[in-house]
Amino acid sequence: MIHLKNVTKIYKDNGVVALEDITIDIGEGEFVFIVGTSGSGKSTLIKLLIHEETATAGEIFVDNRDVIKMKRTEIPYLRRSLGMIFQDYRLLEDRTVYENVAFAMQVIEAPQQIIRRSVDNVLEIVGLGEKKNHFPSQLSGGERQRVAIARAIVNAPKLVVADEPTGNLDPDTSRDIMDIFKRINDAGTTIVMATHDKQIVDSMKKRVIEIEDGHIVRDEIKGLYEKIGKKDVVVPKIGSNNQKFGAGSVRR
Amino acid sequence: MKLQNIQYYFREVVVSMARNRWMTFASIGTVAVSLFVLGIFLILIANMTNLASELESQVQISVYLKDELKTQDQENIKNKLKNLTNVTEVRYVSKEEAFQTLQRRLGEKQKILEALGESNPLPNSFSVTVKIADDVQKTAEIISKFNGVEEVSYGQEVAINIFDVTRLIRVLGFVLMIILTGATIFIISNTIRLTVFARRKEIAVMKYVGATDWFIRWPFVLEGTVFGLIGGGISAIALRSFYSAMSERIYSTLAFFPIVEQHPFMNYLTVVLILSGIAVGVLGSTVSLKKFLEV
């Protein structure tokens, strides 16, 4: 599904080496956490996958598309094949829940009847069928992220990429959101999620790739947030909402 | 382009204009006011240029004939005048007609003419209208060498002054038109940039969900067209009533002032304003969008 070989990313404007010599293979149907501290390079990795940034060297294939050699006009078609979810939801405030989700189908020029059916269906999946005529401002953070998830999966992508999806949510809501991701993954969709939410990583027991200073330092199947034996691995029960301290994106 | 997309684009324009009501109002208002001001200056420039041509066309050469010239000789001179390339019209002015004109011009002071008694000292003449006013001096020199011509006069000093003035008017008018057109384009495209900027989040989301650049661009291009059409239309309507009111005032007070006829001039101006409104609207939105499409 995703194939990265010797990928290096150096930001042109300030010369920061965000990623260096990264090689990753992710198969279809996998659920992968990308963990690391703020500024480690995990957000850059996500940006490279969706062609928001272009790699300086190496090769990247997403769903058999050559992301690096891709022409500008091909980028929309890459993005249609994957769903994206962000920490700040990125909903359109002046449109209803239904319209926000339908929007993703309108821009790929889907027929009207199919849009109606798919949007209703996907809103049921994320549990927002009742609130389809609400505006984002009338929703809680967790509900907004559900709308964003609905929007990401409405076109039935093979891959969902999420950058700190629980970053603004409390632990209980985060768990609900993770349940939705788990269900999507169980249905066969590949999920790549950058996060530094220790609790959710530890509770899911999925593949974990840890990035530190632009290098992969760990790639474990059924891993935890931190390497066992590295530090204390005690999972704090309360007040672990440490995401407040950083959006996890690379500061340029 | 699919029919469903066209419907989508038009619905997007209507919905976006309704959602951003104030922005829409401000943009259309800016377009209308800018084009109105531009229109006023275009009217002024057109009238200045018209005045210039009018002044130039009044440059005439008076060809005074020697007394006791035979009718046959007069006819010869008239034919020779008509054959000159720079001459458009030749009119015979008899000494009697010249005398009456002089009487009329003197008005109340015409009593001084009584001192002349029955004699008329004025000569017969031809009044010659020229095609190219700039060449009036050359033409006058040629005519002065004709047999039977006593003297040639074309108000030398006055004519040269008029040419200086009309040249200045034309150059000024042109420069003014360029500057004002530039300013109008700048103001309108800046306003449109604001409406695009207000929707940058929406554009970014569209990019993320895989919309093509043209799919994003079309509603903005259409919106620019609508802004230009409505704004240009409003300015044209306002200018038409402004110009007809102004023309009436001028006819009733300064009847001699040569103003450009309302038809077809105002029709041309209407078309020009609406078309330039649309052009600036479309260009403005396309150029402003460019930055936000680079995601």
Side-chain angles (χ1 to χ4, degrees):
Chain A
M1 192 71 218
I2 298 175
H3 168 76
L4 278 81
K5 199 178 165 196
N6 308 118
V7 172
T8 296
K9 171 64 184 175
I10 302 168
Y11 283 107
K12 264 186 212 148
D13 38 357
N14 55 12
V16 167
V17 182
L19 290 174
E20 199 176 354
D21 203 21
I22 298 281
T23 300
I24 302 174
D25 268 294
I26 295 173
E28 230 174 297
E30 272 197 80
F31 195 130
V32 181
F33 285 113
I34 312 280
V35 301
T37 50
S38 297
S40 58
K42 58 187 195 303
S43 281
T44 300
L45 182 60
I46 297 287
K47 284 180 183 163
L48 291 181
L49 295 180
I50 65 177
H51 204 299
E52 192 178 331
E53 294 287 349
T54 320
T56 316
E59 51 183 59
I60 301 176
F61 283 87
V62 173
D63 195 17
N64 294 323
R65 294 170 197 265
D66 188 334
V67 176
I68 292 179
K69 292 205 183 109
M70 185 172 280
K71 280 187 239 143
R72 229 186 96 76
T73 49
E74 291 174 62
I75 301 173
Y77 301 96
L78 165 75
R79 293 186 180 165
R80 287 174 193 195
S81 71
L82 46 88
M84 276 179 282
I85 293 155
F86 305 90
Q87 179 175 6
D88 56 359
Y89 325 124
R90 306 207 183 163
L91 302 178
L92 299 173
E93 295 295 324
D94 56 2
R95 295 179 195 228
T96 64
V97 167
Y98 178 90
E99 287 170 329
N100 262 287
V101 178
F103 190 64
M105 294 193 84
Q106 275 161 353
V107 300
I108 67 163
E109 303 166 29
Q112 210 49 247
Q113 308 93 298
I114 294 180
I115 293 180
R116 219 167 294 138
R117 208 178 317 137
S118 307
V119 175
D120 284 340
N121 180 37
V122 88
L123 284 176
E124 285 306 322
I125 293 177
V126 300
L128 279 177
E130 305 284 297
K131 297 198 168 178
K132 66 179 201 178
N133 292 322
H134 285 48
F135 284 92
S137 57
Q138 299 167 300
L139 302 177
S140 69
E143 287 170 332
R144 288 182 196 209
Q145 196 58 292
R146 285 164 194 252
V147 180
I149 294 172
R151 183 179 64 192
I153 62 170
V154 73
N155 288 322
K158 283 197 256 176
L159 169 67
V160 168
V161 179
D163 190 4
E164 302 277 357
T166 58
N168 287 343
L169 306 175
D170 61 67
D172 282 347
T173 314
S174 296
R175 218 167 300 134
D176 293 344
I177 294 292
M178 290 314 293
D179 279 345
I180 297 173
F181 276 114
K182 198 168 176 306
R183 263 184 283 145
I184 296 168
N185 181 236
D186 288 344
T189 308
T190 313
I191 293 180
V192 176
M193 183 180 297
T195 185
H196 51 219
D197 190 331
K198 190 179 163 74
Q199 256 189 341
I200 59 164
V201 176
D202 290 348
S203 66
M204 297 284 286
K205 303 256 180 355
K206 298 287 186 186
R207 181 177 169 189
V208 174
I209 297 174
E210 185 177 349
I211 298 182
E212 206 178 286
D213 293 331
H215 296 271
I216 295 179
V217 294
R218 182 162 60 109
D219 187 346
E220 272 181 342
I221 296 168
K222 293 192 176 176
L224 296 175
Y225 184 77
E226 280 174 337
K227 196 179 177 187
I228 298 173
K230 190 186 170 193
K231 277 184 223 158
D232 55 327
V233 201
V234 181
V235 181
K237 283 255 152 41
I238 359 158
S240 71
N241 194 14
N242 57 349
Q243 302 77 36
K244 276 178 193 158
F245 298 109
S249 58
V250 171
R251 302 269 173 254
R252 296 209 251 150
Chain B
M1 216 190 286
K2 281 193 280 181
L3 180 69
Q4 189 199 337
N5 287 353
I6 298 173
Q7 285 170 339
Y8 166 82
Y9 298 144
F10 276 99
R11 205 177 52 234
E12 274 302 294
V13 171
V14 174
V15 169
S16 136
M17 283 173 61
R19 278 201 185 111
N20 309 304
R21 228 165 283 144
W22 282 107
M23 212 51 157
T24 305
F25 182 74
S27 304
I28 292 176
T30 310
V31 175
V33 171
S34 311
L35 289 178
F36 181 78
V37 173
L38 180 67
I40 295 250
F41 276 94
L42 290 179
I43 287 176
L44 262 177
I45 292 163
N47 275 292
M48 272 156 54
T49 315
N50 188 45
L51 176 67
S53 327
E54 196 71 19
L55 285 176
E56 281 176 1
S57 74
Q58 280 168 15
V59 173
Q60 285 185 333
I61 305 175
S62 296
V63 181
Y64 301 109
L65 303 174
K66 287 179 177 152
D67 276 343
E68 321 305 335
L69 212 60
K70 287 181 199 137
T71 328
Q72 186 57 45
D73 293 333
Q74 282 185 6
E75 275 304 303
N76 282 343
I77 292 174
K78 188 174 183 181
N79 287 334
K80 274 159 86 179
L81 286 172
K82 277 185 171 167
N83 284 334
L84 287 173
T85 46
N86 195 27
V87 169
T88 51
E89 204 189 318
V90 179
R91 198 172 67 85
Y92 179 71
V93 181
S94 66
K95 54 196 298 173
E96 291 78 22
E97 192 186 335
F99 192 78
Q100 279 165 14
T101 311
L102 183 62
Q103 273 183 330
R104 260 205 311 280
R105 280 203 193 155
L106 287 174
E108 288 178 358
K109 292 182 201 149
Q110 58 175 281
K111 290 210 173 71
I112 14 175
L113 292 178
E114 284 169 13
L116 293 171
E118 287 299 303
S119 71
N120 176 359
L122 299 175
N124 293 320
S125 67
F126 285 113
S127 179
V128 175
T129 311
V130 293
K131 206 186 296 170
I132 302 158
D134 259 346
D135 292 342
V136 68
Q137 192 174 357
K138 250 186 267 166
T139 313
E141 265 167 37
I142 296 168
I143 296 172
S144 67
K145 289 181 184 119
F146 286 2
N147 274 331
V149 170
E150 173 84 51
E151 206 190 332
V152 171
S153 151
Y154 62 93
Q156 283 81 344
E157 287 80 32
V158 179
I160 284 163
N161 276 337
I162 287 177
F163 297 144
D164 285 346
V165 170
T166 54
R167 201 169 291 126
L168 187 70
I169 288 176
R170 288 204 172 100
V171 171
L172 263 183
F174 187 70
V175 171
L176 205 61
M177 196 171 81
I178 299 284
I179 293 175
L180 275 161
T181 309
T184 311
I185 291 175
F186 180 75
I187 293 171
I188 295 176
S189 58
N190 246 330
T191 316
I192 288 172
R193 195 172 12 231
L194 283 178
T195 73
V196 173
F197 187 74
R199 293 172 64 188
R200 67 194 182 286
K201 267 182 84 178
E202 195 177 326
I203 298 166
V205 171
M206 289 173 96
K207 289 292 290 190
Y208 281 125
V209 295
T212 58
D213 286 355
W214 269 107
F215 189 84
I216 299 172
R217 214 175 272 138
W218 268 115
F220 283 97
V221 169
L222 276 179
E223 201 176 79
T225 311
V226 172
F227 286 177
L229 195 69
I230 300 179
I234 291 173
S235 73
I237 292 169
L239 279 170
R240 288 182 96 104
S241 44
F242 166 79
Y243 196 57
S244 84
M246 206 187 73
S247 306
E248 245 168 70
R249 287 295 282 282
I250 288 178
Y251 277 132
S252 61
T253 51
L254 301 164
F256 60 88
F257 193 86
I259 52 173
V260 181
E261 291 286 332
Q262 287 183 54
H263 302 283
F265 171 64
M266 286 311 284
N267 294 342
Y268 293 145
L269 192 66
T270 305
V271 172
V272 165
L273 287 180
I274 290 178
L275 285 185
S276 41
I278 292 173
V280 176
V282 168
L283 263 178
S285 18
T286 322
V287 172
S288 322
L289 252 186
K290 206 169 175 300
K291 199 175 92 190
F292 299 106
L293 288 179
E294 309 273 324
V295 183

